[in-house]
Each structure stands twice: as C-alpha cells, then as structure tokens.
Amino acid sequence: MERDDAYIRTGKWWHDKIIYEIYPKSFMDTNGDGIGDLGGVIEKLDYLQDLGVDILWICPCYQSPFIDQGYDISDYYKIDPVFGTNAQMEELLRKARERGMDVILDLVVNHCSSEHFWFREACRDPQGKYGKYFYIMDAGEDELPTNWRSYFGGPVWSPLPGNPGKKYLHVFHEKQPDLNWENAELRRDIFSMMKWWLDKGVRGFRIDAIMNIKKPFPLRNYNPDREDGMVEMETVIGQTRGIEQFLSEMKREVLDPYDAFTVAEVCGEREEDLPLLMGREGFFSSMFDFREMTLGMSDKGWYDRKPATLRQYRDMCYAAQKAFNPYGFQTNVLENHDSPRCGDRFLQEAMHEITGKNTLTKDEKQALAEKGKKMLAVLYFFLHGIPCIYQGQEIGMENMPLERFEDIDDVSALGEYGCAIRAGLTREEALSVVQQFSRDNSRTPMQWNDLEGSGFSTAEPWMRINPNYVLINEKQQESDGGSVLSFYKKMISLRKNPAYRNTFVYGSFTPVCENENDLMAYRRTGEADILVLANISGQIVKVPIDPSFCRVLLNNTDAFILEGEGTVCLEPFQAVVLEKITL
Ligand code: GLC
Ligand code: CA
C-alpha cells in the first residue's frame, strides 16, 4: 500500500510529539495522604520537561468512587478532591504550557459511574429523561436480555437498583453503566463537556474504550464461547456496524474546531476501518497500536495466556507497521496502566536462555535486564508513529511481587482469579497467573528515590511500593550516565534532533533481515537514512551490513565491534541506531 504522502506532509502540530502517560494516583503525593495528586504532577513538571516529553496524558482524575480507578466517573466537570481542585488543573495546564508541554485528558464516555447524577435519576425514574441515557430493559430475576460477558467477567446485565423487573447494561463493571449514544441529548451533553475542557486549555483527549459506544441492534444472543454460555464483548463489538455517525459528529462538532489531538483506545480493529479511524480525514488523530500488547492472550482468560517472546514481538511490530503506516500515525506503546511492565513481559524467555547457560551474579543479571529494557525502548521508539512512555517505564520499573490474594486491587484481576479457579487451578496457581498479568503491576507508586515511601509519599501509600525501589529509582538514575533514565533522555533528544526529526517522523519504514531469527532490524529513510539494529537473542550475533552505515547515533552498550568491512558483532540485547554516511 502506498503511503498517503499528502497527509503526512500536512504537518499537524502533534505529528512529532512524544506522549507521557501519567497515572496520577501513583505519580506523586504532595499532601501526605498516600495518594498521588495534581499538586504532584505540577511539582514534577520540571522533571518531565527535562526528560523531553511533549504531551502529558493524565489518566482520569475526575470525581469518582474509584471502583475502576477513576474510569468510573461520577462528575465529568469536577476534579476528585483526592487529586485536588479544578483550580489546580488550570494551574497544571498553564504551567505545562509555560514549559512547552500540552495536556490531554482521559475521555471516558462509553460509561459513567453508577453514582453519576444521570444514573441515579435513571434509577429513580426509568421512563424519564435520564432513563434514556442508559440501556434499560425489562427482564425477570433470572432473565438476561443477551448472553454477553462483560470485560471484567460475569454478565453485562445487572438489576436496576430499586426497579424489580428491570436490568441495565454495563460492558465493564456493574458500577459502570453504559451510556446510550443513540440518544442525541446524551451526545450533546458529552460534546458540551468536551468543549468545556478544551476551552480551559486541554489540547485533546485519550479516548477510552470508544468502539463500545455503538451497540448492535437488535440486541441479541451470539454463539457462546465458553462453558458459561456467554460470549465475549470483542465478538459482539466486532460485529457491530454504524459507529461512524457518532464519531463523525464528535469530530465535526468538537474536535476539528479546536484542532484537538486525540488518541483512541481501539482494540481488534478491522483493517479496512483504519483509514476511517486514523486516516487524514479519520475520526481520531491517532490510535494505539495494541497488537503487541495482546500477544499470547487467550479467549479463555489469563490462566491460559502464554508469555510473549521477543520474536513474536518483532513479528507483530512489523505486521502492525505494515497495517498502520499507509494511513497515518499510530501511537506506539510498550507499557500502560493496563499492562504488566515490559521487561517482565518480553525479556523473560531470552533472559532464561542467557542465564541458563551462564552463572550470573545478581548484579550481572540486573545489568542484563537493564540492557534488555533499553533495547526494547530503542525498538519501539524509532518505529513510525507517535511514541508514548508510561510513567516509570523510563526508569525501568518492574512487575510487583504478589503473595496474598488480599493484595489484589485491580478489578479485572479479581475476575480473572475467579475464572482461573473455576478452570481448576489451585489458589497458588491462580495467584501466580494474576501476578504475571495483573494491571496492578504497572500501578504501583512511582519510585523517585531510595528513601522510605520511595519519594512518592510520606504516608502509607494507597498501593504497595515495589520493594525494589532501593535499586530502581529516579534519583539514582539521574546522576548515572549509564542508567535507563539517561538512555531515555538520549533517545528522546535523538528523535528531536533537527538533523533526524523528519526522518523519524515522516520517513518510510522497512524491515531488514526479516528472516534472521535473532535480530530485529529496520530502516527509516527520509532526509537521512537510518538503520535500527538489535540482537534479540541470548547469543552473540554477527550481521553483515552496508558499511556506509557507520555513524553510531545511539548504542545501549559500550561495545560496538565492527569486524572488518561491513560486519557488525552484537552482544545479546545490544541495540544500535546507525546512520548512513554518503561521501
Ligand atoms: C480502558 C482503560 C481501563 C479501564 C476500561 C474501562 O480499557 O484503559 O483501565 O478499566 O477502559 O473504562
Ligand atoms: Ca495526595
């Protein structure tokens, strides 16, 4: 497929940006209640500016009962007191702007909280105005209008509080009732709310679970995919048509007039829909590339999920680039608040390969893991698209050890634990499944230093701090030129270097040595010609390359061995970025 060059040259303000995702609850606590807050984000703006990121995506910080960590909003216009005040949000917007950064908020409009005024009114009077803001159906006690399984497990229908004989739809948790987008009044309310935030200076949105806003009519059963007789929502949404009407209205009425930047959470998209979703005239500026995140997943649940290998990661990246690049700018991620940490996710197999053959000391193992994290960073950062860094990724934070069921916070992890037990796993086994895949892994407090509370808080934190904060923390890495943090800074400044910026942003992408199992390599070609090369295996690899790729722009180890003319010798997990020099 030919690239849509006209589009990429329109030079939108966000084309060359780097996004940083902030999970405010775990970022920085400034009032000593153990919970991160907006004051904490403001306090760390200098840190973020120094890191070099441009767009700050703040996960939901609106008023919420926090059943799903703020993705259950009870007032869209109000910052939750736990995070601070609306005035502080305005201060954050202003201070970010002063430092050349933009803020986007999380837009969660597939559902609200069951404590939102709309839903409370709907329960009080299901026939009234607000009853029409939701999907409410007549259904007897044991009756379910459809056999859909919610994303967090269990049926999507729950009894409407105070209304025997009625049920309402929630594709996530029962405390997250779905909003009825068929209702023009609801849409108008949502659009006004979006404009209200844009008027305050927010530059756009990360758009949550958006493909779910359209439901397939008539609502009906689908073929069950598990013994519970239900079908997963992915199947239902995959067969739904007609979301265009809502999304084009949102684009026309809200997003375009503000030149807003949007990045949509779209999963399992159909390839033919990509131009509609993210093309030049697409509904969104960008959408996440989640393909690598879903590696190893199983329809049955987490207990049946397989670890992902670096080779799978590579193949999936190539496939994703091929699919997305012709249309626009996907947003590339290694981690987010819904996924385990990337080192734990992608490096394990290769690490075993290496450590299995050698006796490594603890320090050597840590050095190897660090090298691996830097390699992953290089590999995704220079792909075509917009890089997004999740808080803590830039210092190489790791998964959280989980020993007791009581320590699980993530609602989806609780559902998956139950699912694993029903499938016959022992409690220990179920816990180890959750340990690997729980969303809590990435939601532990940010590790700012090695003092008690990891510099995150002076109080007991709302969630356990990973005990490895004494080894892995921002303060220590700040002064260490070889740290993961220092490496991220180098990587960011390379991407922004005027000599290479256009090539990284607009240049073409071509996989190199696709059949070479131990390598992930690609070229970015534009004003400059760049080769990204990494050894994704546990052994030394020798690669023949065009000898004119001789300028080393970035290297995650001290070693760079050119063996005679045109052969590069790479250590395990070594990643280099090379520029072609034409004399
Ligand atoms: C998205 C969010 C996730 C949340 C869900 C429901 O997938 O990333 O954290 O649980 O939507 O809002
Ligand atoms: Ca606080």
Side-chain angles (χ1 to χ4, degrees):
M1 172 73 76
E2 273 305 295
R3 300 175 54 75
D4 185 349
D5 278 334
Y7 171 56
I8 60 176
R9 295 201 193 292
T10 52
K12 285 283 195 188
W13 66 269
W14 43 264
H15 278 172
D16 61 348
K17 298 294 185 252
I18 296 164
I19 307 177
Y20 186 90
E21 178 187 359
I22 295 177
Y23 198 69
K25 230 179 158 176
S26 294
F27 193 58
M28 178 71 201
D29 171 28
T30 50
N31 67 343
D33 64 356
I35 304 175
D37 43 49
L38 291 185
V41 181
I42 295 171
E43 196 176 300
K44 293 294 181 187
L45 282 174
D46 288 335
Y47 166 76
L48 296 166
Q49 183 185 18
D50 182 53
L51 181 61
V53 295
D54 309 290
I55 295 181
L56 308 179
W57 151 28
I58 321 260
C59 287
C61 48
Y62 317 91
Q63 183 180 289
S64 167
F66 294 103
I67 293 299
D68 184 22
Q69 288 310 347
Y71 282 91
D72 46 326
I73 298 170
S74 56
D75 187 343
Y76 288 98
Y77 290 89
K78 190 164 182 263
I79 298 299
D80 194 282
V82 108
F83 292 126
T85 60
N86 283 42
Q88 267 178 310
M89 177 53 93
E90 296 201 22
E91 180 188 342
L92 167 59
L93 294 174
R94 198 180 60 246
K95 292 193 166 156
R97 198 78 291 289
E98 282 165 16
R99 289 166 177 78
M101 293 182 283
D102 286 302
V103 171
I104 62 172
L105 295 182
D106 218 305
L107 183 73
V108 190
V109 290
N110 172 66
H111 45 269
C112 60
S113 157
S114 53
E115 294 188 20
H116 194 286
F117 164 76
W118 296 337
F119 192 70
R120 283 196 274 121
E121 281 300 298
C123 294
R124 199 181 53 76
D125 177 13
Q127 313 305 340
K129 168 171 171 177
Y130 292 107
K132 300 192 184 67
Y133 275 41
F134 298 92
Y135 294 97
I136 296 172
M137 307 265 289
D138 291 329
E141 207 176 323
D142 301 322
E143 242 181 298
L144 294 172
T146 65
N147 69 339
W148 310 348
R149 185 189 308 107
S150 84
Y151 287 104
F152 296 156
V156 297
W157 298 97
S158 288
L160 187 70
N163 291 273
K166 290 200 187 304
K167 294 216 159 102
Y168 70 94
L169 177 75
H170 56 86
V171 304
F172 290 93
H173 194 271
E174 61 173 286
K175 302 257 166 78
Q176 295 170 302
D178 279 51
L179 292 165
N180 181 359
W181 275 71
E182 305 293 330
N183 180 348
E185 250 181 297
L186 175 269
R187 297 203 298 276
R188 238 186 346 261
D189 278 356
I190 301 270
F191 297 160
S192 313
M193 177 272 290
M194 293 170 72
K195 288 183 201 156
W196 190 83
W197 282 112
L198 289 164
D199 283 334
K200 299 231 172 293
V202 165
R203 288 304 301 280
F205 300 98
R206 174 267 184 186
I207 307 190
D208 188 66
I210 192 68
M211 300 314 274
N212 294 282
I213 63 172
K214 178 74 188 177
K215 311 296 189 264
F217 292 99
L219 305 184
R220 63 171 178 90
N221 286 347
Y222 291 80
N223 287 339
D225 54 23
R226 288 188 202 166
E227 274 157 20
D228 60 8
M230 293 191 272
V231 57
E232 61 176 13
M233 278 310 300
E234 285 85 349
T235 308
V236 178
I237 295 305
Q239 299 190 23
T240 306
R241 298 290 181 275
I243 195 172
E244 303 80 44
Q245 183 211 336
F246 305 153
L247 295 181
S248 55
E249 196 176 296
M250 180 195 276
K251 177 178 158 67
R252 192 177 60 242
E253 302 209 353
V254 186
L255 303 173
D256 281 352
Y258 286 87
D259 196 17
F261 169 72
T262 51
V263 48
E265 186 192 34
V266 177
C267 303
E269 68 283 347
R270 288 181 288 260
E271 224 148 292
E272 68 261 31
D273 288 343
L274 287 175
L276 264 181
L277 293 169
M278 61 178 288
R280 178 148 48 138
E281 298 302 329
F283 303 129
F284 310 115
S285 317
S286 180
M287 59 186 267
F288 291 106
D289 167 22
F290 282 134
R291 296 177 184 217
E292 297 76 19
M293 300 298 230
T294 57
L295 280 171
M297 275 190 184
S298 156
D299 289 349
K300 294 186 187 147
W302 288 357
Y303 74 88
D304 190 46
R305 194 167 159 175
K306 306 277 175 304
T309 68
L310 281 167
R311 286 177 191 120
Q312 289 172 318
Y313 174 77
R314 173 197 62 186
D315 294 344
M316 198 55 113
C317 274
Y318 289 166
Q321 289 281 302
K322 201 166 161 206
F324 289 114
N325 291 357
Y327 307 112
F329 291 80
Q330 68 277 33
T331 294
N332 297 311
V333 288
L334 266 183
E335 291 179 4
N336 62 27
H337 66 284
D338 290 331
S339 76
R341 294 290 182 177
C342 68
D344 296 87
R345 194 140 150 51
F346 297 118
L347 298 176
Q348 292 317 305
E349 189 209 47
M351 288 278 286
H352 287 149
E353 203 181 305
I354 301 169
T355 52
K357 271 189 268 159
N358 311 286
T359 17
L360 299 184
T361 64
K362 216 170 148 222
D363 285 353
E364 285 167 337
K365 260 194 211 156
Q366 205 201 331
L368 185 63
E370 243 173 57
K371 202 179 354 157
K373 290 173 199 171
K374 292 175 190 166
M375 172 187 72
L376 282 169
V378 169
L379 289 175
Y380 101 108
F381 211 74
F382 297 106
L383 293 170
H384 179 272
I386 301 172
C388 178
I389 302 169
Y390 176 65
Q391 73 183 39
Q393 178 188 322
E394 78 277 24
I395 57 168
M397 279 177 62
E398 296 179 348
N399 276 1
M400 179 72 177
L402 175 69
E403 272 139 33
R404 307 180 315 157
F405 175 81
E406 295 72 40
D407 288 333
I408 303 176
D409 175 80
D410 171 18
V411 272
S412 67
L414 294 171
E416 293 286 352
Y417 180 89
C419 174
I421 295 285
R422 280 192 299 280
L425 274 72
T426 65
R427 282 157 192 261
E428 289 70 40
E429 288 164 342
L431 204 60
S432 112
V433 165
V434 167
Q435 145 82 76
Q436 277 183 72
F437 301 116
S438 172
R439 303 191 298 176
D440 292 337
N441 280 315
S442 53
R443 298 176 179 185
T444 61
M446 184 71 186
Q447 296 165 201
W448 294 107
N449 62 36
D450 63 359
L451 304 175
E452 201 185 336
S454 74
F456 162 71
S457 178
T458 50
E460 174 86 9
W462 75 278
M463 183 182 235
R464 293 172 307 142
I465 295 174
N466 193 318
N468 69 14
Y469 73 96
V470 281
L471 287 175
I472 299 179
N473 64 71
E474 190 270 320
K475 176 93 188 301
Q476 177 270 322
Q477 296 193 17
E478 182 95 56
S479 51
D480 172 2
S483 66
V484 177
L485 178 62
S486 299
F487 192 75
Y488 266 84
K489 288 186 192 168
K490 280 183 214 151
M491 219 169 54
I492 293 171
S493 60
L494 174 58
R495 210 175 191 278
K496 291 189 165 180
N497 183 327
Y500 308 113
R501 169 194 167 275
N502 279 345
T503 307
F504 288 129
V505 176
Y506 298 113
S508 66
F509 171 94
T510 330
V512 176
C513 308
E514 260 179 289
N515 300 321
E516 177 56 69
N517 255 336
D518 296 337
L519 283 181
M520 174 160 170
Y522 55 83
R523 251 166 99 173
R524 299 298 316 275
T525 319
E527 289 161 13
D529 199 344
I530 288 167
L531 177 64
V532 174
L533 196 58
N535 177 356
I536 56 172
S537 82
Q539 57 248 310
I540 289 176
V541 172
K542 294 186 179 167
V543 204
I545 59 160
D546 172 349
S548 49
F549 280 99
C550 57
R551 178 177 288 160
V552 184
L553 301 179
L554 194 66
N555 184 354
N556 71 342
T557 75
D558 296 332
F560 184 64
I561 307 157
L562 259 178
E563 281 203 349
E565 270 281 281
T567 299
V568 181
C569 179
L570 296 172
E571 293 176 4
F573 291 171
Q574 183 170 7
V576 289
V577 180
L578 306 175
E579 183 190 8
K580 183 172 185 168
I581 302 298
T582 25
L583 297 173

